Amino acid sequence: MCVNSGKYDGLDYEAATDAIAADLKALGLGDKQVQYRLRDWGISRQRYWGTPIPIIHCAACGTVPVPEQDLPVVLPRT
């Protein structure tokens, strides 16, 4: 519930989000949108930022996590 938010006081999160988006759209300052790519971007950067996700690509089993007893995975130097 919004508090000390002017005309949005008393609105729950979803109602306040919709009201603010409608007001911004009426002023020509923005529009409500959904962005789907952030999660994909975060996973694709895993290798750059640090330890890769330990997954084994097995022809018989498919994609499976590395067993806990085999952690940590030490990668070969390239």
Side-chain angles (χ1 to χ4, degrees):
M1 182 161 314
C2 292
V3 178
N4 297 328
S5 301
K7 70 180 191 176
Y8 309 111
D9 278 353
L11 296 176
D12 65 8
Y13 173 80
E14 189 171 330
T17 302
D18 291 339
I20 292 168
D23 289 348
L24 288 172
K25 186 172 184 175
L27 294 171
L29 297 175
D31 197 3
K32 192 171 180 181
Q33 296 181 353
V34 177
Q35 183 175 2
Y36 294 103
R37 296 178 54 131
L38 185 59
R39 182 175 300 156
D40 295 339
W41 179 82
I43 294 298
S44 71
R45 296 291 166 209
Q46 180 73 22
R47 176 75 177 177
Y48 176 77
W49 283 331
T51 308
I53 300 169
I55 298 291
I56 296 173
H57 300 281
C58 175
C61 308
T63 304
V64 294
V66 172
E68 205 167 316
Q69 67 269 15
D70 294 336
L71 294 175
V73 175
V74 178
L75 298 177
R77 297 212 180 260
T78 56

